[in-house]
Amino acid sequence: MASEEELFASVDALLEEEPLPPPAERARLREAAGITQARLAQALRSTTQTVKNWENGRSEPKPPRLEAYQRLLRGWAAKHPPRGTTPAAVPAPQPVPEAAGPGAAGPKAAPNAASDAAPAAAPGGPAAPRPRRERPPARPAPARRPAGERDAQPAADPRFPHGPLAVLDGDGQAYGTGGLVLDCPATTVPELVAWTLAESGLGAARLHRNGRDADPLIVLTAAAAVRLGLPERLEGHEERRSLRLPDDHPVVRQITGAGWRLTQRGFGPWARVYRPATAGQRQCVQFAVLAWDALDARSWPGVAGMEPADIARVLGVYARRVITPRGSTAVSGLELMTSLRPPTRAVQDRAAGNWVSGHNPGSLGTEPVDPAPPEATPEHPVVVGGGWTGGFLDEEAYQWMREVDLLSDEEMLRMPFAVGLDLNTAFLAAAARLVVGLSGPEHVRRPVFDKKIPGSWYVDLSHVELDPRLPSPFTPSGKRPQGPAWYQTHTVAYAQELGYNVAPVEAFLRRETGAYLDPWHDRLKAAYLDTLADLGVTRDLDDRAFLAAMERHQQADPGLAAVLSAIKATVKGGVGKLRERPQGRHYRDGERWPALERPTWRPDIRAAVISKARVNMHRKLLNMAKMTGLYPLAVLSDCVVYPSPGRSPLDFLPYSASGKPQPGSFRLGPSPGLAKLEGVQDMPWAVDLMEQGYNPARHIKGGDAVLEEGE
């Protein structure tokens, strides 16, 4: 039993301890001294991110940095007292009161205090990991954090208490969502896989009751990759060509030697390390290597260069709103379709009295379905092997501009500006309530056209005559068809809508149908609108306020702006993956390629989305001409350029006498299918481009884009 003298000595030691000031005060003192976080990190032989953690309360310094940091803060406090006080009147830092609620700890909490407060793992789930540092002192809550940051908090699933992913740095710190920092002792990839599955508490719950939980994602910084024995860059011609480590690389041998496996794509920018499932339990960890360009700058602008904690926040918001990233945004878009429409479900085998795997209605099933020859690509086996010469669907997005000699004097003299409008996620808008085929194609001769049946129709639409100042709705080039051709159902239905007779010669139709993309559309639409709202662009804004908010939304929060970019790329990339072409210089026409083994290799569904999007665009162009007498200069996919008397869309879009936007034409707003300002240029600039054969819709954001793109 401790003596009275020993107890008094322990108490005296506690009294002599000097707590750190609150995190906000630490930041104030540093800023008052004119010192940057990077310079402070250099002085304390630490990292900029660690200093950030100290100043936002995510972690606390440990000896010997603790004593040095305390000494520095004391000196700054003497020189820079709070406003309204003098240096002599500055009180000594006071201990921060213990916060109410479980898990709260003071600034000198015992090292295991935070781990004691960590959520317990579910029975049979991963053990609760050891946090990197103790929980920071309690502090007043901020007035309000951005909604995107709130959304990035770990899901309330006890099996995955620490969220879907973590970003690992070279010091063994794993940065999770919600400001979490875990201590990761692994120094090899097999050790990291074991730690992730057994201790990290990472993962995400399934998006559909018949689906499967998301595998945890570990994002490796360049320093972390080197620490694990991976090259900082993929060097050598063979590695760069295949975008993967060679099979004899030491890290690959470590993985296979430890009994783990790699998927067919090997260890590249996105890698999966797994063991076959046992007793229904998956054992799989996914990796993203930042230095190997796992996060494409076109989809994730600026993210790869962020601090690990900021990368975790950005990817965490995307994971919570869309899906845990599983590769490029295109891959994630395709995976999201399957996650929301799982191919199988448990069904009862009444004869055997047990449950077996059966088809999930509304899904594409587990077996790939070959397309009809006109829906395939020229190198596809059904085309090459069958000797198909009957032509192909050409359902692509618009690339059209008006003939210069069709510009009127009115447009040239009284319309000094060219204004570009961009339709928000036009492919996503087209996917809404879109009925597509779920079964294989059926060949029909002399069919009667039915707009309710998805399929491909061979029909002559060359007799449809429209104003030459508008693009044809039937071809991507906008040129009038010259004879019979293959069209998707929506294109033929639009010819009927315009009042023309259609008489298909033959068709490939799908009798089993469904709105396969509905849950995909709904989830991505919510993600898009929620992220825009976090950036200050909400649906309750009037048109003038909307345009102003869109001008500044990307500067409001670069991290959330990157999430928005990734969501848009997920839409376009996911649709594009439905008709993934063969890759590699060794491919020969007529051979099957890996993408064909997916049930989601469905060029007919891609054609349906693009056909509907192009028809939607033409319908707005036609209504715009009827309401305003204005005709477009050019269209490129979801961007249209109009001549305008002013620099704003408000100068030419149609409004009612009460000031409300006219339905049926282009309308401003954040929702998918509505429009935003793409760019403004002088009318002579647009005419000059058109005379040179360049599409002004491609370059409306900047006059020097022609040189940049090398056209």
Side-chain angles (χ1 to χ4, degrees):
M1 183 175 180
S3 65
E4 182 180 16
E5 183 177 348
E6 291 172 329
L7 292 173
F8 271 65
S10 298
V11 170
D12 289 341
L14 288 175
L15 291 173
E16 291 173 3
E17 281 192 2
E18 179 184 0
L20 289 170
E25 177 66 5
R26 304 171 201 173
R28 186 195 73 80
L29 290 172
R30 177 186 54 76
E31 292 169 356
I35 303 298
T36 64
Q37 291 176 329
R39 187 176 174 190
L40 176 56
Q42 184 180 17
L44 295 176
R45 305 296 191 270
S46 185
T47 65
T48 303
Q49 185 59 50
T50 298
V51 172
K52 286 184 179 182
N53 290 343
W54 296 346
E55 292 186 357
N56 60 28
R58 289 177 178 169
S59 63
E60 294 292 290
K62 294 282 189 68
R65 291 188 181 91
L66 173 61
E67 290 77 9
Y69 192 35
Q70 286 174 322
R71 182 177 180 182
L72 182 61
L73 293 176
R74 282 198 304 269
W76 283 344
K79 292 181 179 180
H80 308 288
R83 289 185 177 181
T85 63
T86 62
V90 178
Q94 296 299 314
V96 180
E98 185 173 349
K108 283 298 193 178
N112 63 346
S115 59
D116 291 343
R130 295 180 294 111
R132 172 71 175 173
R133 296 182 177 89
E134 62 269 21
R135 192 178 292 270
R139 53 176 172 157
R144 185 181 180 188
R145 287 183 295 171
E149 191 169 332
R150 293 196 308 276
D151 225 3
Q153 300 302 311
D157 190 317
R159 298 171 301 157
F160 313 115
H162 293 148
L165 56 90
V167 181
L168 186 65
D169 69 8
D171 296 326
Q173 296 183 30
Y175 295 82
T177 57
L180 179 75
V181 184
L182 301 175
D183 185 7
C184 176
T187 58
T188 67
V189 171
E191 289 176 359
L192 181 53
V193 172
W195 174 84
T196 302
L197 294 175
E199 298 184 48
S200 72
L202 296 174
R206 65 196 68 187
L207 298 180
H208 187 281
R209 66 180 182 276
N210 294 322
R212 66 186 187 193
D213 298 329
D215 300 320
L217 169 63
I218 299 294
V219 181
L220 302 178
T221 63
V226 171
R227 183 177 187 232
L228 295 169
L230 296 167
E232 187 172 348
R233 298 284 179 185
L234 283 177
E235 299 294 344
H237 173 73
E238 180 64 25
E239 290 174 343
R240 286 191 177 276
R241 184 185 61 78
S242 61
L243 290 178
R244 57 189 285 176
L245 292 177
D247 293 341
D248 60 352
H249 190 278
V251 170
V252 176
R253 291 204 302 265
Q254 283 179 352
I255 293 170
T256 56
W260 296 97
R261 300 183 185 179
L262 291 166
T263 59
Q264 288 186 349
R265 62 183 178 183
F267 206 110
W270 290 89
R272 293 182 187 178
V273 180
Y274 73 100
R275 283 178 180 151
T278 57
Q281 295 294 318
R282 284 177 59 82
Q283 299 182 78
C284 182
V285 177
Q286 184 165 271
F287 291 93
V289 187
L290 293 178
W292 299 356
D293 299 324
L295 298 181
D296 190 319
R298 293 168 297 180
S299 302
W300 299 96
V303 176
M306 293 179 178
E307 296 287 353
D310 296 323
I311 297 173
R313 177 200 172 220
V314 169
L315 296 181
V317 174
Y318 180 89
R320 185 167 181 82
R321 294 183 173 178
V322 182
I323 193 173
T324 302
R326 301 184 184 184
S328 66
T329 47
V331 169
S332 296
L334 198 67
E335 292 279 356
L336 181 63
M337 294 180 195
T338 305
S339 296
L340 294 170
R341 291 279 199 190
T344 61
R345 64 171 181 168
V347 296
Q348 190 171 20
D349 183 345
R350 298 187 180 278
N354 57 1
W355 292 87
V356 297
S357 179
H359 174 66
N360 186 27
S363 75
L364 297 180
T366 58
E367 297 298 323
V369 175
D370 278 340
E375 298 166 348
T377 57
E379 65 271 15
H380 195 285
V382 302
V383 175
V384 177
W388 175 259
T389 58
F392 299 93
L393 276 175
D394 190 19
E395 298 288 10
E396 301 294 339
Y398 269 133
Q399 295 191 53
W400 170 87
M401 62 180 178
R402 204 194 320 173
E403 297 293 334
V404 176
D405 58 7
L406 293 178
L407 293 173
S408 67
D409 292 340
E410 174 81 10
E411 291 171 320
M412 297 291 288
L413 299 176
R414 298 189 181 183
M415 300 288 180
F417 300 103
V419 177
L421 294 176
D422 180 70
L423 297 185
N424 303 317
T425 56
F427 288 171
L428 186 62
R433 314 300 173 252
L434 175 67
V435 176
V436 300
L438 302 179
S439 56
E442 173 189 336
H443 190 208
V444 181
R445 296 281 185 182
R446 299 290 177 185
V448 176
F449 177 71
D450 186 341
K451 66 179 182 181
K452 295 182 180 179
I453 303 178
S456 302
W457 310 77
Y458 192 68
V459 60
D460 191 350
L461 299 179
S462 61
H463 62 288
V464 178
E465 200 164 339
L466 298 172
D467 194 307
R469 292 171 294 180
L470 289 175
S472 167
F474 311 127
T475 64
S477 66
K479 296 180 180 180
R480 184 172 175 173
Q482 297 301 305
W486 289 97
Y487 300 99
Q488 202 276 335
T489 298
H490 282 88
T491 305
V492 184
Y494 188 56
Q496 270 194 341
E497 181 182 323
L498 294 174
Y500 292 89
N501 181 49
V502 294
V505 177
E506 60 179 315
F508 287 91
L509 308 178
R510 287 172 166 81
R511 303 298 184 179
E512 183 185 346
T513 65
Y516 172 73
L517 293 175
D518 264 10
W520 185 80
H521 162 271
D522 295 347
R523 186 168 178 85
L524 284 168
K525 178 182 178 180
Y528 181 77
L529 290 174
D530 288 348
T531 307
L532 264 181
D534 291 343
L535 292 167
V537 185
T538 56
R539 285 186 282 184
D540 59 348
L541 298 175
D542 62 32
D543 286 358
R544 196 172 300 277
F546 167 73
L547 291 173
M550 287 300 296
E551 281 187 10
R552 58 178 182 268
H553 81 282
Q554 290 189 330
Q555 289 74 44
D557 186 326
L560 286 180
V563 174
L564 188 69
S565 173
I567 292 171
K568 292 188 287 186
T570 302
V571 174
K572 284 193 174 182
V575 172
K577 275 282 186 180
L578 292 168
R579 197 190 67 165
E580 184 177 358
R581 305 292 286 269
Q583 302 175 18
R585 57 191 175 97
H586 298 296
Y587 176 78
R588 297 292 180 269
D589 287 355
E591 298 175 349
R592 295 189 70 84
W593 60 94
L596 300 186
E597 307 312 315
R598 298 192 319 248
T600 49
W601 198 86
R602 292 294 301 271
D604 57 300
I605 296 180
R606 174 185 178 274
V609 172
I610 298 176
S611 169
K612 185 179 175 184
R614 199 181 65 245
V615 164
N616 287 346
M617 171 67 84
H618 191 275
R619 189 180 289 112
K620 294 179 189 296
L621 296 172
L622 187 58
N623 289 337
M624 184 77 171
K626 293 176 180 177
M627 295 176 188
T628 67
L630 291 178
Y631 292 85
L633 299 176
V635 184
L636 181 71
S637 186
D638 49 9
C639 177
V640 56
V641 177
Y642 271 102
S644 171
R647 299 183 62 87
S648 170
L650 302 176
D651 296 321
F652 66 90
L653 289 179
Y655 290 85
S656 67
S658 62
K660 294 183 178 180
Q662 292 282 23
S665 183
F666 295 100
R667 298 175 57 187
L668 299 175
S671 296
L674 298 187
K676 61 180 179 291
L677 177 64
E678 178 72 1
V680 183
Q681 299 292 335
D682 294 334
M683 185 67 167
W685 169 92
V687 175
D688 183 56
L689 279 186
M690 294 166 70
E691 289 177 339
Q692 297 180 60
Y694 299 129
N695 190 323
R698 184 183 299 277
H699 312 292
I700 193 68
K701 282 187 175 181
D704 60 348
V706 175
L707 297 177
E708 292 176 1
E709 298 198 12
E711 291 190 9

PDB file of all heavy atoms in Angstrom, residues 441-462:
ATOM      1  N   PRO A 441     -31.191  -9.820 -76.704  1.00  0.00           N
ATOM      2  CA  PRO A 441     -31.961  -9.265 -77.825  1.00  0.00           C
ATOM      3  C   PRO A 441     -32.693 -10.333 -78.624  1.00  0.00           C
ATOM      4  O   PRO A 441     -32.243 -11.469 -78.758  1.00  0.00           O
ATOM      5  CB  PRO A 441     -30.873  -8.602 -78.673  1.00  0.00           C
ATOM      6  CG  PRO A 441     -29.632  -9.398 -78.391  1.00  0.00           C
ATOM      7  CD  PRO A 441     -29.740  -9.851 -76.965  1.00  0.00           C
ATOM      8  N   GLU A 442     -33.829  -9.944 -79.167  1.00  0.00           N
ATOM      9  CA  GLU A 442     -34.633 -10.818 -80.031  1.00  0.00           C
ATOM     10  C   GLU A 442     -34.762 -10.155 -81.398  1.00  0.00           C
ATOM     11  O   GLU A 442     -35.187  -8.993 -81.493  1.00  0.00           O
ATOM     12  CB  GLU A 442     -36.017 -11.030 -79.412  1.00  0.00           C
ATOM     13  CG  GLU A 442     -36.986 -11.779 -80.296  1.00  0.00           C
ATOM     14  CD  GLU A 442     -38.402 -11.767 -79.738  1.00  0.00           C
ATOM     15  OE1 GLU A 442     -38.549 -11.593 -78.507  1.00  0.00           O
ATOM     16  OE2 GLU A 442     -39.345 -11.900 -80.548  1.00  0.00           O
ATOM     17  N   HIS A 443     -34.379 -10.858 -82.455  1.00  0.00           N
ATOM     18  CA  HIS A 443     -34.412 -10.298 -83.805  1.00  0.00           C
ATOM     19  C   HIS A 443     -35.826 -10.399 -84.370  1.00  0.00           C
ATOM     20  O   HIS A 443     -36.445 -11.472 -84.361  1.00  0.00           O
ATOM     21  CB  HIS A 443     -33.425 -11.040 -84.705  1.00  0.00           C
ATOM     22  CG  HIS A 443     -33.226 -10.374 -86.029  1.00  0.00           C
ATOM     23  ND1 HIS A 443     -32.871 -11.064 -87.164  1.00  0.00           N
ATOM     24  CD2 HIS A 443     -33.359  -9.078 -86.407  1.00  0.00           C
ATOM     25  CE1 HIS A 443     -32.769 -10.218 -88.185  1.00  0.00           C
ATOM     26  NE2 HIS A 443     -33.067  -9.006 -87.744  1.00  0.00           N
ATOM     27  N   VAL A 444     -36.351  -9.258 -84.879  1.00  0.00           N
ATOM     28  CA  VAL A 444     -37.716  -9.210 -85.402  1.00  0.00           C
ATOM     29  C   VAL A 444     -37.688  -8.549 -86.779  1.00  0.00           C
ATOM     30  O   VAL A 444     -37.067  -7.492 -86.956  1.00  0.00           O
ATOM     31  CB  VAL A 444     -38.651  -8.415 -84.462  1.00  0.00           C
ATOM     32  CG1 VAL A 444     -40.072  -8.398 -85.017  1.00  0.00           C
ATOM     33  CG2 VAL A 444     -38.624  -8.994 -83.059  1.00  0.00           C
ATOM     34  N   ARG A 445     -38.381  -9.155 -87.752  1.00  0.00           N
ATOM     35  CA  ARG A 445     -38.514  -8.575 -89.087  1.00  0.00           C
ATOM     36  C   ARG A 445     -39.831  -7.801 -89.185  1.00  0.00           C
ATOM     37  O   ARG A 445     -40.860  -8.223 -88.671  1.00  0.00           O
ATOM     38  CB  ARG A 445     -38.506  -9.676 -90.150  1.00  0.00           C
ATOM     39  CG  ARG A 445     -37.196 -10.457 -90.239  1.00  0.00           C
ATOM     40  CD  ARG A 445     -36.142  -9.685 -91.006  1.00  0.00           C
ATOM     41  NE  ARG A 445     -34.915 -10.463 -91.204  1.00  0.00           N
ATOM     42  CZ  ARG A 445     -33.833  -9.995 -91.805  1.00  0.00           C
ATOM     43  NH1 ARG A 445     -33.828  -8.751 -92.266  1.00  0.00           N
ATOM     44  NH2 ARG A 445     -32.776 -10.755 -91.942  1.00  0.00           N
ATOM     45  N   ARG A 446     -39.787  -6.668 -89.857  1.00  0.00           N
ATOM     46  CA  ARG A 446     -40.959  -5.821 -90.078  1.00  0.00           C
ATOM     47  C   ARG A 446     -41.761  -5.581 -88.796  1.00  0.00           C
ATOM     48  O   ARG A 446     -42.973  -5.820 -88.735  1.00  0.00           O
ATOM     49  CB  ARG A 446     -41.872  -6.443 -91.145  1.00  0.00           C
ATOM     50  CG  ARG A 446     -41.220  -6.605 -92.505  1.00  0.00           C
ATOM     51  CD  ARG A 446     -41.007  -5.262 -93.158  1.00  0.00           C
ATOM     52  NE  ARG A 446     -40.306  -5.386 -94.449  1.00  0.00           N
ATOM     53  CZ  ARG A 446     -39.918  -4.353 -95.186  1.00  0.00           C
ATOM     54  NH1 ARG A 446     -40.153  -3.134 -94.740  1.00  0.00           N
ATOM     55  NH2 ARG A 446     -39.300  -4.547 -96.329  1.00  0.00           N
ATOM     56  N   PRO A 447     -41.111  -5.104 -87.755  1.00  0.00           N
ATOM     57  CA  PRO A 447     -41.842  -4.883 -86.498  1.00  0.00           C
ATOM     58  C   PRO A 447     -42.690  -3.610 -86.569  1.00  0.00           C
ATOM     59  O   PRO A 447     -42.404  -2.695 -87.361  1.00  0.00           O
ATOM     60  CB  PRO A 447     -40.713  -4.707 -85.482  1.00  0.00           C
ATOM     61  CG  PRO A 447     -39.615  -4.070 -86.278  1.00  0.00           C
ATOM     62  CD  PRO A 447     -39.704  -4.683 -87.658  1.00  0.00           C
ATOM     63  N   VAL A 448     -43.715  -3.570 -85.773  1.00  0.00           N
ATOM     64  CA  VAL A 448     -44.480  -2.341 -85.571  1.00  0.00           C
ATOM     65  C   VAL A 448     -43.805  -1.580 -84.441  1.00  0.00           C
ATOM     66  O   VAL A 448     -43.597  -2.135 -83.355  1.00  0.00           O
ATOM     67  CB  VAL A 448     -45.953  -2.647 -85.226  1.00  0.00           C
ATOM     68  CG1 VAL A 448     -46.700  -1.354 -84.929  1.00  0.00           C
ATOM     69  CG2 VAL A 448     -46.612  -3.412 -86.363  1.00  0.00           C
ATOM     70  N   PHE A 449     -43.460  -0.329 -84.682  1.00  0.00           N
ATOM     71  CA  PHE A 449     -42.706   0.408 -83.669  1.00  0.00           C
ATOM     72  C   PHE A 449     -43.537   0.613 -82.411  1.00  0.00           C
ATOM     73  O   PHE A 449     -44.710   0.996 -82.467  1.00  0.00           O
ATOM     74  CB  PHE A 449     -42.239   1.765 -84.202  1.00  0.00           C
ATOM     75  CG  PHE A 449     -41.508   2.577 -83.158  1.00  0.00           C
ATOM     76  CD1 PHE A 449     -40.237   2.197 -82.740  1.00  0.00           C
ATOM     77  CD2 PHE A 449     -42.098   3.682 -82.572  1.00  0.00           C
ATOM     78  CE1 PHE A 449     -39.565   2.918 -81.763  1.00  0.00           C
ATOM     79  CE2 PHE A 449     -41.436   4.415 -81.601  1.00  0.00           C
ATOM     80  CZ  PHE A 449     -40.161   4.036 -81.197  1.00  0.00           C
ATOM     81  N   ASP A 450     -42.899   0.354 -81.267  1.00  0.00           N
ATOM     82  CA  ASP A 450     -43.520   0.559 -79.958  1.00  0.00           C
ATOM     83  C   ASP A 450     -42.495   1.258 -79.069  1.00  0.00           C
ATOM     84  O   ASP A 450     -41.445   0.692 -78.759  1.00  0.00           O
ATOM     85  CB  ASP A 450     -43.919  -0.791 -79.347  1.00  0.00           C
ATOM     86  CG  ASP A 450     -44.710  -0.627 -78.049  1.00  0.00           C
ATOM     87  OD1 ASP A 450     -44.647   0.460 -77.440  1.00  0.00           O
ATOM     88  OD2 ASP A 450     -45.361  -1.605 -77.634  1.00  0.00           O
ATOM     89  N   LYS A 451     -42.787   2.488 -78.681  1.00  0.00           N
ATOM     90  CA  LYS A 451     -41.827   3.284 -77.908  1.00  0.00           C
ATOM     91  C   LYS A 451     -41.596   2.740 -76.500  1.00  0.00           C
ATOM     92  O   LYS A 451     -40.672   3.174 -75.810  1.00  0.00           O
ATOM     93  CB  LYS A 451     -42.285   4.736 -77.823  1.00  0.00           C
ATOM     94  CG  LYS A 451     -43.563   4.950 -77.037  1.00  0.00           C
ATOM     95  CD  LYS A 451     -43.932   6.430 -76.996  1.00  0.00           C
ATOM     96  CE  LYS A 451     -45.192   6.672 -76.175  1.00  0.00           C
ATOM     97  NZ  LYS A 451     -45.564   8.113 -76.142  1.00  0.00           N
ATOM     98  N   LYS A 452     -42.428   1.774 -76.083  1.00  0.00           N
ATOM     99  CA  LYS A 452     -42.264   1.198 -74.755  1.00  0.00           C
ATOM    100  C   LYS A 452     -41.270   0.043 -74.730  1.00  0.00           C
ATOM    101  O   LYS A 452     -40.922  -0.447 -73.651  1.00  0.00           O
ATOM    102  CB  LYS A 452     -43.623   0.720 -74.219  1.00  0.00           C
ATOM    103  CG  LYS A 452     -44.618   1.845 -73.990  1.00  0.00           C
ATOM    104  CD  LYS A 452     -45.923   1.311 -73.424  1.00  0.00           C
ATOM    105  CE  LYS A 452     -46.913   2.451 -73.188  1.00  0.00           C
ATOM    106  NZ  LYS A 452     -48.205   1.935 -72.649  1.00  0.00           N
ATOM    107  N   ILE A 453     -40.843  -0.412 -75.904  1.00  0.00           N
ATOM    108  CA  ILE A 453     -39.933  -1.555 -75.977  1.00  0.00           C
ATOM    109  C   ILE A 453     -38.514  -1.058 -76.244  1.00  0.00           C
ATOM    110  O   ILE A 453     -38.254  -0.483 -77.309  1.00  0.00           O
ATOM    111  CB  ILE A 453     -40.355  -2.539 -77.082  1.00  0.00           C
ATOM    112  CG1 ILE A 453     -41.783  -3.022 -76.851  1.00  0.00           C
ATOM    113  CG2 ILE A 453     -39.391  -3.714 -77.140  1.00  0.00           C
ATOM    114  CD1 ILE A 453     -42.292  -3.956 -77.935  1.00  0.00           C
ATOM    115  N   PRO A 454     -37.585  -1.266 -75.322  1.00  0.00           N
ATOM    116  CA  PRO A 454     -36.200  -0.857 -75.585  1.00  0.00           C
ATOM    117  C   PRO A 454     -35.551  -1.783 -76.608  1.00  0.00           C
ATOM    118  O   PRO A 454     -35.759  -2.993 -76.594  1.00  0.00           O
ATOM    119  CB  PRO A 454     -35.525  -0.977 -74.215  1.00  0.00           C
ATOM    120  CG  PRO A 454     -36.352  -1.956 -73.457  1.00  0.00           C
ATOM    121  CD  PRO A 454     -37.758  -1.824 -73.965  1.00  0.00           C
ATOM    122  N   GLY A 455     -34.797  -1.198 -77.497  1.00  0.00           N
ATOM    123  CA  GLY A 455     -34.134  -2.000 -78.509  1.00  0.00           C
ATOM    124  C   GLY A 455     -33.491  -1.138 -79.569  1.00  0.00           C
ATOM    125  O   GLY A 455     -33.348   0.078 -79.415  1.00  0.00           O
ATOM    126  N   SER A 456     -33.098  -1.785 -80.667  1.00  0.00           N
ATOM    127  CA  SER A 456     -32.445  -1.121 -81.788  1.00  0.00           C
ATOM    128  C   SER A 456     -33.289  -1.356 -83.032  1.00  0.00           C
ATOM    129  O   SER A 456     -33.618  -2.502 -83.356  1.00  0.00           O
ATOM    130  CB  SER A 456     -31.033  -1.679 -81.987  1.00  0.00           C
ATOM    131  OG  SER A 456     -30.269  -1.520 -80.808  1.00  0.00           O
ATOM    132  N   TRP A 457     -33.610  -0.270 -83.743  1.00  0.00           N
ATOM    133  CA  TRP A 457     -34.536  -0.323 -84.870  1.00  0.00           C
ATOM    134  C   TRP A 457     -33.832   0.160 -86.134  1.00  0.00           C
ATOM    135  O   TRP A 457     -33.173   1.203 -86.124  1.00  0.00           O
ATOM    136  CB  TRP A 457     -35.754   0.566 -84.611  1.00  0.00           C
ATOM    137  CG  TRP A 457     -36.426   0.349 -83.285  1.00  0.00           C
ATOM    138  CD1 TRP A 457     -35.998   0.782 -82.067  1.00  0.00           C
ATOM    139  CD2 TRP A 457     -37.635  -0.361 -83.049  1.00  0.00           C
ATOM    140  NE1 TRP A 457     -36.862   0.404 -81.079  1.00  0.00           N
ATOM    141  CE2 TRP A 457     -37.894  -0.308 -81.648  1.00  0.00           C
ATOM    142  CE3 TRP A 457     -38.549  -1.040 -83.872  1.00  0.00           C
ATOM    143  CZ2 TRP A 457     -39.007  -0.902 -81.067  1.00  0.00           C
ATOM    144  CZ3 TRP A 457     -39.666  -1.627 -83.285  1.00  0.00           C
ATOM    145  CH2 TRP A 457     -39.881  -1.564 -81.902  1.00  0.00           C
ATOM    146  N   TYR A 458     -34.005  -0.597 -87.215  1.00  0.00           N
ATOM    147  CA  TYR A 458     -33.450  -0.195 -88.508  1.00  0.00           C
ATOM    148  C   TYR A 458     -34.554   0.512 -89.276  1.00  0.00           C
ATOM    149  O   TYR A 458     -35.537  -0.105 -89.711  1.00  0.00           O
ATOM    150  CB  TYR A 458     -32.953  -1.414 -89.281  1.00  0.00           C
ATOM    151  CG  TYR A 458     -32.123  -1.074 -90.492  1.00  0.00           C
ATOM    152  CD1 TYR A 458     -30.866  -0.491 -90.354  1.00  0.00           C
ATOM    153  CD2 TYR A 458     -32.595  -1.348 -91.779  1.00  0.00           C
ATOM    154  CE1 TYR A 458     -30.087  -0.190 -91.456  1.00  0.00           C
ATOM    155  CE2 TYR A 458     -31.823  -1.055 -92.899  1.00  0.00           C
ATOM    156  CZ  TYR A 458     -30.574  -0.469 -92.731  1.00  0.00           C
ATOM    157  OH  TYR A 458     -29.806  -0.166 -93.831  1.00  0.00           O
ATOM    158  N   VAL A 459     -34.416   1.825 -89.437  1.00  0.00           N
ATOM    159  CA  VAL A 459     -35.505   2.630 -89.974  1.00  0.00           C
ATOM    160  C   VAL A 459     -34.924   3.807 -90.746  1.00  0.00           C
ATOM    161  O   VAL A 459     -33.824   4.278 -90.453  1.00  0.00           O
ATOM    162  CB  VAL A 459     -36.427   3.117 -88.822  1.00  0.00           C
ATOM    163  CG1 VAL A 459     -35.657   3.952 -87.826  1.00  0.00           C
ATOM    164  CG2 VAL A 459     -37.627   3.874 -89.352  1.00  0.00           C
ATOM    165  N   ASP A 460     -35.668   4.288 -91.718  1.00  0.00           N
ATOM    166  CA  ASP A 460     -35.251   5.432 -92.527  1.00  0.00           C
ATOM    167  C   ASP A 460     -35.888   6.701 -91.962  1.00  0.00           C
ATOM    168  O   ASP A 460     -37.108   6.852 -91.971  1.00  0.00           O
ATOM    169  CB  ASP A 460     -35.687   5.225 -93.984  1.00  0.00           C
ATOM    170  CG  ASP A 460     -35.065   6.246 -94.924  1.00  0.00           C
ATOM    171  OD1 ASP A 460     -34.450   7.221 -94.425  1.00  0.00           O
ATOM    172  OD2 ASP A 460     -35.191   6.070 -96.152  1.00  0.00           O
ATOM    173  N   LEU A 461     -35.044   7.601 -91.465  1.00  0.00           N
ATOM    174  CA  LEU A 461     -35.518   8.883 -90.933  1.00  0.00           C
ATOM    175  C   LEU A 461     -35.022  10.055 -91.776  1.00  0.00           C
ATOM    176  O   LEU A 461     -35.076  11.206 -91.354  1.00  0.00           O
ATOM    177  CB  LEU A 461     -35.047   9.065 -89.482  1.00  0.00           C
ATOM    178  CG  LEU A 461     -35.536   8.023 -88.477  1.00  0.00           C
ATOM    179  CD1 LEU A 461     -34.974   8.317 -87.091  1.00  0.00           C
ATOM    180  CD2 LEU A 461     -37.063   7.984 -88.427  1.00  0.00           C
ATOM    181  N   SER A 462     -34.538   9.750 -92.982  1.00  0.00           N
ATOM    182  CA  SER A 462     -33.990  10.820 -93.818  1.00  0.00           C
ATOM    183  C   SER A 462     -35.068  11.774 -94.333  1.00  0.00           C
ATOM    184  O   SER A 462     -34.752  12.872 -94.788  1.00  0.00           O
ATOM    185  CB  SER A 462     -33.220  10.222 -94.999  1.00  0.00           C
ATOM    186  OG  SER A 462     -34.071   9.429 -95.816  1.00  0.00           O
TER     187      SER A 462
END
